[in-house]
């Protein structure tokens, strides 16, 4: 059994803000799994819905505590279901990667994210999967609060929708297999620079050899 928690702030005024991409993901996953509004129930200061991915039972969670107190909902749910930290998957926004970019991590610190900081405090362990959706850095003159509580500009909206759609099978992979496989299959691949460097070194060596031959 797994808990898949998307982070955000409750209330219509926050629904389309950058800080709520975790909620947006959960809503998209609910649709993909064929659930409806009637499947949601209130439990431990959260909206929860039971579902299955493959043969695995999952609990979809949207904390209603506001972002900075997310752990106040997630921690008690983990205790109620008697789950280990490795059974938790958290989907959240990340300012440190460009809008629409995704990253899956197996563990780690809060990285300045108050929602993750709260979950770490209540769960007491960093070994839970993080599924991060990039929202980019604040514009010049904007505070972090202004940035995360603003909506996405029109040009970024398609990127966010694509990121969410892309992550649905990634999260399903974490549930049915493990986070390592999901990281390997879905994380963006780093561009290989080693071959280019090697090619430059070879061409420089050839040029030097040619100079020696001309000198002889």
């Amino acid at each position: 059994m797994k808990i898949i928690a998307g982070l955000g702030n409750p209330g219509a005024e926050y629904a389309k803000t950058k800080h709520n991409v975790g909620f947006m993901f959960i809503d998209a996953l609910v649709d993909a799994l064929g659930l409806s509004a009637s499947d949601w129930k209130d439990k431990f200061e959260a909206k929860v819905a039971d579902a299955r991915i493959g043969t695995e039972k999952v609990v979809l969670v949207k904390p209603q505590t506001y972002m900075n107190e997310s752990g106040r909902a997630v921690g008690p749910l983990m205790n109620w279901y008697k789950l280990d930290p490795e059974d938790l998957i958290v989907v959240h926004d990340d300012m440190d990667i460009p809008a629409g970019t995704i990253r899956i991590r197996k563990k780690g610190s809060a990285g300045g994210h108050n929602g993750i900081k709260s979950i770490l405090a209540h769960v007491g362990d960093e070994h839970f999967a993080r599924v991060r959706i990039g929202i980019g850095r604040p514009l010049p003159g904007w505070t972090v609060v202004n940035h995360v509580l603003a909506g996405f500009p029109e040009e970024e909206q398609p990127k966010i929708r694509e990121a969410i759609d892309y992550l649905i099978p990634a999260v399903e992979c974490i549930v049915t297999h493990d986070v390592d496989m999901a990281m390997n299959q879905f994380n963006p691949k780093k561009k290989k620079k080693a071959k280019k460097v090697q090619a430059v070194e070879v061409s420089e060596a050839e040029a030097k050899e040619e100079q020696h031959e001309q000198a002889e």
Side-chain angles (χ1 to χ4, degrees):
M1 182 178 174
K2 306 283 187 188
I3 283 180
I4 305 172
L7 304 190
N9 289 307
E13 68 269 36
Y14 299 112
K16 295 183 179 180
T17 62
K18 296 182 179 76
H19 229 10
N20 271 44
V21 290
F23 277 15
M24 294 175 198
F25 173 83
I26 293 294
D27 289 339
L29 183 57
V30 162
D31 290 341
L33 295 176
L35 303 181
S36 64
S38 62
D39 291 304
W40 288 106
K41 55 190 176 185
D42 296 321
K43 196 169 191 174
F44 293 114
E45 298 187 84
K47 297 287 184 184
V48 303
D50 296 331
R52 283 195 176 274
I53 294 177
T55 59
E56 189 84 19
K57 182 180 178 181
V58 295
V59 180
L60 310 182
V61 176
K62 294 197 291 185
Q64 301 297 294
T65 53
Y66 291 92
M67 179 64 82
N68 292 358
E69 296 289 340
S70 297
R72 211 172 73 213
V74 174
L77 283 166
M78 296 287 289
N79 292 333
W80 174 262
Y81 291 108
K82 296 180 173 60
L83 298 177
D84 295 323
E86 291 83 0
D87 298 319
L88 173 63
I89 302 163
V90 180
V91 185
H92 64 94
D93 60 302
D94 193 320
M95 289 196 308
D96 291 329
I97 52 179
T101 304
I102 69 98
R103 291 285 188 282
I104 301 169
R105 293 183 67 192
K106 192 173 185 176
K107 60 175 184 175
S109 67
H113 193 285
N114 288 332
I116 296 296
K117 191 182 298 182
S118 177
I119 291 173
L120 284 168
H122 283 81
V123 173
D125 195 303
E126 67 172 19
H127 292 82
F128 57 88
R130 331 290 172 82
V131 178
R132 303 182 291 161
I133 301 173
I135 61 170
R137 301 298 301 178
L139 293 169
W142 281 45
T143 66
V144 168
V145 173
N146 291 150
H147 179 62
V148 299
L149 296 184
F152 289 99
E154 191 173 346
E155 66 272 15
E156 289 181 358
Q157 291 173 18
K159 297 178 185 178
I160 300 302
R161 286 194 294 270
E162 287 171 13
I164 288 171
D165 289 343
Y166 179 79
L167 282 173
I168 289 175
V171 169
E172 290 176 340
C173 180
I174 297 175
V175 172
T176 57
H177 293 85
D178 56 45
V179 67
D180 291 308
M181 180 179 286
M183 288 169 62
N184 186 51
Q185 290 187 9
F186 294 93
N187 271 344
K189 299 292 186 287
K190 292 181 180 178
K191 294 179 181 179
K192 295 181 180 178
K193 296 180 180 179
K195 288 184 179 179
K196 289 183 179 180
V197 172
Q198 190 176 13
V200 170
E201 289 174 348
V202 169
S203 62
E204 287 176 350
E206 288 174 347
K208 287 180 181 178
E209 186 175 342
E210 186 176 344
Q211 285 177 349
H212 285 309
E213 287 175 354
Q214 288 174 348
E216 290 172 356

